[in-house]
Amino acid sequence: MHTLAELKEQAKRKSMQTVAVANATDVDVLKAIKQVIEEDLCSFLLFGDELKTRSLADSIDLNVTSPQLSIVDETENPGAAAVRAVHQQKASILMKGNISTKDLLTAVLNKECGLRSGNVLSHVALFEFPERDKLLFLTDAAMNIAPALPEKVQIIQNCVHVAHCIGIANPKVAPLAAVEVVNPAMQATIDAASLTQMQRRGQIKGCMIDGPLAFDNAVSRIAADHKQIHSEVAGNADILLVPGIETGNALYKSFMYFAGAKVAAVISGASAPIVLTSRTDTAENKVYSLTLALLASTTF
């Protein structure tokens, strides 16, 4: 797969799914929903103020009478209502609307009617670059601040699950560090080496891991060859595992603002995918994120 647009063709081959939107009173979210409905990718349950939702929908010519669209008037707690709909299997995907991330995740983590699965929740981003011939995953750029080794194992597993769902059978994972050798003073290198050995001994399945790798060695075959790093992952990574949120956040935004990348992103690890887009995301990126979630909705 070379482009995010190819995700749509895969999604069209799946059975029709329903997305629960937590507080749909957001014009940019509704624009993305309009495009997805026009491409006949899925259906929606829109939770929130019905009058305001209808007014915003009218302003962008979104047909609220579409059979793929239902509005649920819920002004008290639309986030909890949307999560409950997924919990009750009335929808298979959760999408953030005009609601704070904190409030939505509080509902997701509710012990009685949330979306807990026992796994760590992590952010999975999939990038398309103008001058790169394949897509690239980045994880975790938004959820886990300073994950320790056990959390990194689950973060990898969450991302590998999404990679499998889009057809990458054995993704190559590069745990990033500042250098490509183990340095006892740098915890990221120790964790990377441990993850590599865990995968080789069958403790982490469904992927290939090699690290530590610096960013250039992970994505550039020329850089890897120059440093005489010989592995199937170096220079050809499918997944970049960052050591902490600062690195992930900086890489994510660098890809967007300096490399002109397009992105699809989901929260993985819950009992259903969560589309947690940013207010700065374009409508196109929101559509790609929805599409990735549709493909990632296969249960763990």
Side-chain angles (χ1 to χ4, degrees):
M1 186 178 297
H2 303 291
T3 68
L4 291 176
E6 294 175 58
L7 296 175
K8 295 180 184 178
E9 297 307 312
Q10 284 196 24
K12 288 176 181 178
R13 294 194 290 268
K14 295 193 70 173
S15 58
M16 185 66 69
Q17 298 179 75
T18 300
V19 179
V21 182
N23 199 2
T25 58
D26 182 295
V27 68
D28 290 328
V29 169
L30 291 174
K31 286 179 180 178
I33 289 170
K34 178 184 177 183
Q35 183 175 335
V36 169
I37 288 176
E38 288 173 349
E39 298 190 38
D40 200 30
L41 292 174
C42 63
S43 299
F44 292 90
L45 285 174
L46 307 184
F47 293 87
D49 186 310
E50 183 174 3
L51 290 177
K52 189 172 182 180
T53 302
R54 287 180 179 273
S55 176
L56 290 173
D58 288 343
S59 72
I60 60 169
D61 297 321
L62 171 59
N63 181 12
V64 295
T65 64
S66 167
Q68 290 173 243
L69 197 65
S70 297
I71 300 176
V72 180
D73 189 29
E74 173 58 64
T75 57
E76 185 175 342
N77 197 336
V83 170
R84 192 178 305 112
V86 179
H87 178 81
Q88 296 173 347
Q89 299 184 345
K90 296 176 182 177
S92 55
I93 293 160
L94 176 67
M95 183 176 186
K96 176 181 179 246
N98 188 15
I99 184 174
S100 73
T101 298
K102 178 183 177 182
D103 287 346
L104 184 61
L105 292 180
T106 296
V108 166
L109 296 175
N110 183 285
K111 292 182 179 180
E112 295 181 0
C113 56
L115 304 179
R116 287 172 175 260
S117 69
N119 297 326
V120 168
L121 301 187
S122 58
H123 188 265
V124 175
L126 180 60
F127 288 91
E128 174 192 330
F129 298 93
E131 298 182 3
R132 185 177 169 87
D133 62 358
K134 74 172 188 175
L135 302 177
L136 181 66
F137 282 98
L138 177 72
T139 192
D140 174 353
M143 290 288 291
N144 295 279
I145 296 172
L149 183 62
E151 287 73 43
K152 288 179 180 179
V153 171
Q154 292 194 42
I155 289 169
I156 289 174
Q157 291 171 334
N158 288 346
C159 194
V160 166
H161 168 74
V162 178
H164 287 174
C165 288
I166 69 168
I168 304 176
N170 192 37
K172 301 174 179 66
V173 182
L176 296 183
V179 295
E180 58 281 345
V181 294
V182 175
N183 183 333
M186 302 173 69
Q187 186 63 43
T189 68
I190 297 171
D191 288 352
S194 298
L195 292 165
T196 300
Q197 285 302 316
M198 291 174 75
Q199 181 268 310
R200 291 175 181 175
R201 296 186 178 191
Q203 293 172 265
I204 303 173
K205 301 181 185 298
C207 64
M208 184 182 301
I209 303 175
D210 187 40
L213 289 173
F215 175 78
D216 57 343
N217 305 323
V219 300
S220 169
R221 186 72 259 172
I222 294 173
D225 288 343
H226 182 73
K227 293 192 176 182
Q228 299 183 340
I229 301 172
H230 305 293
S231 82
E232 293 187 56
V233 176
N236 194 32
D238 297 299
I239 297 173
L240 301 180
L241 173 73
V242 298
I245 198 168
E246 294 88 356
T247 303
N249 184 274
L251 277 177
Y252 186 105
K253 292 176 179 176
S254 295
F255 291 168
M256 298 290 293
Y257 287 95
F258 285 102
K262 299 176 181 178
V263 66
V266 297
I267 301 298
S268 184
S271 60
I274 304 169
V275 181
L276 201 68
T277 55
S278 166
R279 287 171 293 179
T280 60
D281 283 335
T282 64
E284 180 183 41
N285 287 340
K286 285 181 169 68
V287 170
Y288 287 142
S289 294
L290 268 168
T291 308
L292 182 61
L294 292 172
L295 293 171
S297 61
T298 306
T299 57
F300 282 83

